[in-house]
Amino acid sequence: MAALDDFRKDTRAWLDENCPASMRTPMTEGETVSGGSKHRSPNPDSYVWLDRMAEKGWTVPAWPKEYGGGGLHTDEFVVLLEEMARIQARSPLEGMGVTMIGPTLLEYGSEEQKQRHLTKIVNGEIRWCQGYSEPGAGSDLAGLATKAEDKGDHFLVNGSKIWTSGAQFADWIFCLVRTEPQAPKHEGISFVLFSMDSPGISIKPIKLISGASPFCETFFDDVKAPKEDLVHKVNQGWTVAKRLLQHERSGLRALASAGASRTAATQTTTSLADVAKETIGMVDNHLANPVLRDSIIQYRMNANAFSLTQRRTVEESEAGSTPGAATSIFKFYGADLRKEQLELQLKARGTQSFGWEGDGFTAEELNLTRTWLASRAGSIAGGTNEVQLNILAKRVLGLPD
Amino acid sequence: MPLVLNEEQNMLKDAAKDFCGKSTPITELRKLRDDKDETGFSRDIWQQMVELGWAGITIPEDFGGLGFGYLGMGVVMEECGRTLTASPLMSTAVLGSSAILSGASDEQKAELLPALAGGELLTALALEETPHHSPYNISTTAEKSGDGYKLNGSKKFVLDGHVADQLVVVARSSGTAGDRDGLSLFLVAADSDGISTTRTIMADSRNAANIELSNVQAPATALLGAEGKGADVLDKVLDVGRIVLSAEMLGGLQEAFERTLEYLKVREQFGVPIGSFQALKHRAAEMFCEIELSKSVVLEALSALDEDSDEVPKLASLAKARLTDTYNLVSSEAIQMHGGIGMTDEHEIGFFMKRARVCEHSFGNAAYHRNRYGELEGY
Ligand SMILES: Cc1cc2nc3c(=O)[nH]c(=O)nc-3n(C[C@H](O)[C@H](O)[C@H](O)COP(=O)(O)OP(=O)(O)OC[C@H]3O[C@@H](n4cnc5c(N)ncnc54)[C@H](O)[C@@H]3O)c2cc1C
């Protein structure tokens, strides 16, 4: 306990000294740093902050020190996040490097692969994208058809991916390819890494209902993927792929952040009630619209129960191991909660929440319109909610196929 | 506030699981029901619970209790909830103890708490006057009379009211029904002149009574807490009741869920286990999520009681609303997923739905607690 108190004191002092003032303001869309050089934050402080945090390994606080991580225990990690939350410090580095491929390489990468890739993730040097989904393989991911032929020192990749988030900004891709067409579908897949600058790759951005184009179609035409970046064993990529999805859906990082926001969590969404007070008004100390009031309260209670459950999981996994299949509830329930939160914002604000652009709306209102539309992806991306329920039923409840 | 049990609490839970599994399986409740047992629970089992210390779990050691706190009480009630165990734990060890702990004078405590912990005294909270939980909506009057009070009114749904030795009567010494101010709590002997008790036989086979108070004479020393300020004690007692009842409900709904899950794996139709049908799988998985969330709110609320946190009222409403909704969902789905056999009296699964609905209406249903939660958040 005393050691943890010391850690908190040191951390607080270090953050006070090293976190630039502009990094203690709410994140703005364009200033998120996900690594690499193809998309830069316009704010130079973003990189001062990134470099200082990376030097301590605190862009990935729980990774082992030998690969550039912070080597923190879960309880220290939570303290760090609490202290960051206290000064409203931004996350210095986001993206699929720190959240998905990094943790996966730590488990399945060869020593040589870890040495070559991990520090570049920690420093934010390289941005990654995820080549999983294909036009014919979404929920049935193992039905993927992108072909990789063994050419001795490399695989020759042909086919296409779709919904590749950030492909236009990524330096590298982690990609599922079919290396054995005759085998049962789960047993002919390999997990490979290659540069997005390889000859034969082309991309085409796709526009979302929110108007943004965060993802692309990605085409491979005789792309050479060197064998040194085959992760784990050939035709055993499915095991790696599933593990990565667990990190994506509910990695320790996400849980620990939730744990840290234990008090903040109840505050951030108060804005929903504040908005409603303003737009709907109060009668006898109650929101004037009783139906909306009940929905808001129900949402608030569910959100509270949800964050308590995340905190409980953190406390239970004190040992620091990444929780397994039971954490599917977070992806599933969290996506629904977020959608509900935004739908309630619309109900509270009425027609002011449907502004698309131009005059007549505040910047916050215009932003809400887009955020609401984007929120629908939560129950689709990374495995749909129906697929999450399938996984829960099978892996956690043990129900038969 | 901790969301995991410590070693002592885990040991208590294991012991409770063992005891309830062996001594009070659902067949015991069925027997009490079918025998039309006068007491509605087994005095013998109660004596064994007392010997295990359960009557005094929340009572400090100085007064002869275990001093194990509400997390301790919660794990015991959770296990009792799994086997639908009928006992005076709620009326006496939860409501009675907390009324005396938070409202009684030092002399009253010294006299009553050891008797409670020793299982020699059974209490009941005589609160409700309508079919809906409405704690300030009290018309029962307490008029000054001599150097004491005269109580008049009628009470409904008094848990264990038919066997209690002492009643905690919520009465109005001033103001009108609905006012929070003006309530007073009295501890009166159940066999006092002017008290008539009618046992009510309920669908869940648990115990309650309607009680008429007609010119019941209570001395000034019968007051629990200050005259007119009874709501300060009552609110505390009710939050304790809501939270511990939520723990019982958590046990019941987990048991109903596990039994249903097992049935999904063994019952075959169309040549396959019914648990392979996605329509049932998804509903089961959704219930699992609600149950995981329910566990967290119950633990947090119990911890808050132990730490005497300001968050108790909000967490009590959070727990009671969520556990009500979840127990109703799970117990209803349990019957549906069992099909015809789930409708039979012979099968035990139907007992859970009956219990769930009576729990729903004990100390406030989900709508009551959502409204309260909103008020506590300031809208
Ligand atoms: C914003 C966004 C970002 C994304 N980013 C990436 C990325 O970076 N990389 C990447 O590889 N992919 C990405 N995806 C793709 C995402 O993983 C897929 O969209 C998702 O897995 C669903 O596949 P699908 O779109 O083909 O839908 P389908 O699989 O065709 O599903 C259509 C509907 O059928 C339901 N359904 C399908 N199978 C079942 C079943 N067995 N039981 C019950 N219902 C079922 C689904 O739940 C859904 O409701 C992204 C998607 C979005 C929306």
Side-chain angles (χ1 to χ4, degrees):
Chain A
M1 226 43 220
L4 201 60
D5 290 342
D6 286 347
F7 177 77
R8 185 184 294 278
K9 222 173 75 204
D10 296 348
T11 302
R12 186 173 293 189
W14 187 88
L15 287 172
D16 263 347
E17 194 163 318
N18 287 284
C19 183
S22 71
M23 293 292 108
R24 304 179 189 203
T25 62
M27 183 69 89
T28 60
E29 178 105 13
E31 295 190 7
T32 306
V33 177
S34 301
S37 55
K38 297 180 187 174
H39 176 82
R40 301 276 300 174
S41 161
N43 182 351
D45 281 349
S46 303
Y47 296 96
V48 172
W49 180 223
L50 169 64
D51 291 347
R52 288 179 184 168
M53 286 291 274
E55 200 179 328
K56 284 188 85 74
W58 285 0
T59 50
V60 283
W63 290 14
K65 283 198 166 155
E66 50 183 318
Y67 303 116
L72 301 188
H73 287 295
T74 309
D75 49 2
E76 293 170 325
F77 189 0
V78 170
V79 166
L80 170 60
L81 287 162
E82 281 169 355
E83 289 302 314
M84 287 174 68
R86 202 182 63 87
I87 59 166
Q88 289 179 330
R90 294 180 183 180
S91 158
L93 181 62
E94 291 290 325
M96 297 181 181
V98 290
T99 57
M100 296 186 216
I101 185 64
T104 306
L105 283 177
L106 277 170
E107 275 179 74
Y108 285 100
S110 67
E111 189 53 37
E112 187 274 329
Q113 287 169 339
K114 291 186 204 173
Q115 295 291 352
R116 201 151 36 82
H117 293 295
L118 291 180
T119 41
K120 291 182 186 165
I121 291 174
V122 177
N123 302 338
E125 217 173 295
I126 295 290
R127 177 159 172 172
W128 289 83
C129 67
Q130 177 182 36
Y132 273 35
S133 306
E134 297 181 5
S139 298
D140 183 15
L141 180 58
L144 59 93
T146 292
K147 185 169 75 174
E149 290 167 86
D150 192 333
K151 295 287 179 188
D153 65 342
H154 66 272
F155 296 104
L156 197 63
V157 181
N158 279 286
S160 67
K161 296 287 172 181
I162 194 167
W163 324 124
T164 326
S165 297
Q168 65 273 53
F169 304 123
D171 306 289
W172 277 66
I173 185 169
F174 51 92
C175 196
L176 295 178
V177 293
R178 186 155 301 284
T179 33
E180 179 50 70
Q182 310 306 337
K185 67 180 180 179
H186 296 96
E187 290 161 31
I189 295 170
S190 297
F191 192 110
V192 293
L193 318 171
F194 49 89
S195 164
M196 284 295 281
D197 299 325
S198 312
I201 299 183
S202 55
I203 56 170
K204 198 170 134 211
I206 312 169
K207 197 164 164 180
L208 282 177
I209 50 175
S210 64
S213 301
F215 56 16
C216 301
E217 285 179 272
T218 308
F219 303 95
F220 307 119
D221 183 13
D222 279 345
V223 174
K224 286 184 182 170
K227 275 200 180 160
E228 61 180 16
D229 277 317
L230 167 73
V231 178
H232 197 46
K233 301 196 180 89
V234 74
N235 293 331
Q236 291 186 22
W238 186 245
T239 312
V240 187
K242 278 193 301 188
R243 189 65 182 141
L244 182 134
L245 284 174
Q246 279 184 4
H247 289 297
E248 172 175 9
R249 289 167 183 164
S250 47
L252 180 63
R253 187 185 171 91
L255 286 177
S257 327
S261 62
R262 59 186 67 170
T263 43
T266 30
Q267 281 153 21
T268 45
T269 39
T270 313
S271 60
L272 185 54
D274 285 344
V275 165
K277 277 184 200 166
E278 176 111 7
T279 56
I280 308 287
M282 301 278 282
V283 175
D284 294 337
N285 297 321
H286 284 192
L287 284 173
N289 176 337
V291 176
L292 181 64
R293 174 175 182 264
D294 192 56
S295 305
I296 291 177
I297 295 168
Q298 179 99 58
Y299 163 76
R300 293 274 300 156
M301 294 173 91
N302 287 340
N304 193 347
F306 183 70
S307 71
L308 286 172
T309 305
Q310 289 173 310
R311 209 183 91 206
R312 177 163 65 87
T313 313
V314 173
E315 288 185 22
E316 284 170 358
S317 72
E318 203 85 74
S321 59
T322 300
T327 56
S328 270
I329 79 160
F330 298 127
K331 162 85 167 82
F332 165 77
Y333 207 94
D336 275 357
L337 266 182
R338 179 158 169 74
K339 288 195 295 186
E340 174 70 4
Q341 208 268 121
L342 287 152
E343 293 293 341
L344 287 170
Q345 289 271 1
L346 306 192
K347 287 189 169 66
R349 293 171 193 256
T351 53
Q352 283 305 108
S353 45
F354 300 108
W356 191 253
E357 58 193 15
D359 293 340
F361 303 97
T362 65
E364 190 191 359
E365 286 164 350
L366 291 174
N367 184 41
L368 172 68
T369 313
R370 311 293 177 121
T371 310
W372 155 59
L373 290 162
S375 75
R376 308 307 296 190
S379 52
I380 299 174
T384 67
N385 269 18
E386 289 76 13
V387 166
Q388 301 307 319
L389 292 178
N390 288 346
I391 294 172
L392 262 170
K394 181 173 173 165
R395 304 240 175 267
V396 183
L397 304 182
L399 290 171
D401 276 329
Chain B
M1 292 174 276
L3 286 165
V4 284
L5 298 177
N6 66 25
E7 206 182 314
E8 270 187 331
Q9 290 153 354
N10 269 319
M11 276 164 58
L12 184 59
K13 187 173 161 105
D14 289 345
K17 191 177 197 69
D18 195 50
F19 180 83
C20 293
K22 287 195 186 115
S23 306
T24 64
I26 296 178
T27 45
E28 287 300 304
L29 182 68
R30 180 191 294 279
K31 190 166 182 310
L32 291 164
R33 180 194 72 175
D34 293 349
D35 293 352
K36 299 194 187 304
D37 186 277
E38 292 256 315
T39 311
F41 60 88
S42 154
R43 297 248 182 209
D44 181 40
I45 296 284
W46 173 237
Q47 197 45 46
Q48 293 175 42
M49 289 179 171
V50 170
E51 276 156 29
L52 287 168
W54 293 2
I57 289 180
T58 64
I59 296 174
E61 285 170 285
D62 291 351
F63 293 107
L66 280 189
F68 250 47
Y70 287 100
L71 271 166
M73 194 73 220
V75 296
V76 167
M77 285 301 268
E78 184 180 338
E79 293 308 324
C80 290
R82 277 187 177 267
T83 54
L84 302 173
T85 301
S87 81
L89 275 177
M90 177 55 79
S91 58
T92 297
V94 176
L95 299 171
S97 304
S98 78
I100 288 160
L101 278 168
S102 46
S105 65
D106 288 346
E107 297 90 83
Q108 285 170 317
K109 284 186 191 167
E111 179 196 333
L112 297 166
L113 289 174
L116 278 178
E120 297 136 33
L121 179 64
L122 297 183
T123 62
L125 176 66
L127 166 69
E128 311 289 1
E129 300 183 357
T130 75
H132 300 284
H133 179 64
S134 187
Y136 308 145
N137 199 10
I138 299 300
S139 306
T140 295
T141 52
E143 267 176 84
K144 274 254 162 56
S145 143
D147 42 6
Y149 299 83
K150 205 166 63 192
L151 309 179
N152 278 290
S154 52
K155 297 290 183 181
K156 291 180 90 67
F157 192 52
V158 179
L159 302 182
D160 289 339
H162 66 311
V163 286
D165 305 304
Q166 296 272 339
L167 301 175
V168 176
V169 178
V170 183
R172 181 165 292 291
S173 42
S174 65
T176 48
D179 292 350
R180 187 178 183 280
D181 265 348
L183 295 179
S184 300
L185 269 49
F186 298 91
L187 191 69
V188 296
D191 58 5
S192 306
D193 286 346
I195 293 185
S196 74
T197 303
T198 312
R199 184 180 177 199
T200 47
I201 308 295
M202 310 287 290
D204 65 344
S205 312
R206 300 284 274 273
N207 304 305
N210 292 340
I211 293 182
E212 296 291 326
L213 301 142
S214 168
N215 291 324
V216 176
Q217 201 60 44
T221 50
L223 261 179
L224 279 182
E227 182 195 296
K229 295 285 165 217
D232 294 345
V233 179
L234 180 64
D235 284 349
K236 181 78 205 286
V237 172
L238 287 175
D239 279 337
V240 167
R242 289 158 180 153
I243 292 169
V244 177
L245 182 64
S246 296
E248 184 207 308
M249 296 165 81
L250 179 64
L253 67 88
Q254 287 181 94
E255 181 70 22
F257 182 68
E258 286 161 20
R259 289 177 180 218
T260 304
L261 205 55
E262 184 54 30
Y263 193 67
L264 293 181
K265 292 175 188 172
V266 298
R267 168 70 176 169
E268 294 194 358
Q269 283 294 282
F270 301 97
V272 293
I274 57 171
S276 64
F277 302 137
Q278 197 178 50
L280 302 187
K281 275 186 179 169
H282 280 194
R283 276 149 62 193
E286 282 174 337
M287 284 191 267
F288 176 80
C289 292
E290 299 299 345
I291 293 170
E292 286 299 306
L293 266 59
S294 298
K295 289 180 189 168
S296 315
V297 300
V298 169
L299 282 167
E300 179 80 348
L302 290 166
S303 294
L305 283 178
D306 284 337
E307 296 183 10
D308 203 12
S309 149
D310 293 343
E311 293 282 298
V312 164
K314 244 174 103 171
L315 289 167
S317 283
L318 179 65
K320 184 59 180 37
R322 165 160 281 281
L323 271 290
T324 295
D325 287 342
T326 309
Y327 203 2
N328 280 351
L329 170 75
V330 172
S331 60
S332 302
E333 286 283 57
I335 291 188
Q336 181 64 23
M337 292 184 184
H338 276 80
I341 195 99
M343 288 300 295
T344 62
D345 181 61
E346 194 186 338
H347 202 285
E348 287 180 350
I349 203 73
F351 280 78
F352 292 96
M353 193 177 82
K354 294 175 184 170
R355 182 63 190 148
R357 298 308 187 279
V358 177
C359 288
E360 170 181 4
H361 288 279
S362 308
F363 315 124
N365 63 13
Y368 176 92
H369 285 291
R370 282 202 299 277
N371 179 57
R372 182 169 180 252
Y373 192 92
E375 287 178 346
L376 291 166
E377 290 220 319
Y379 51 88

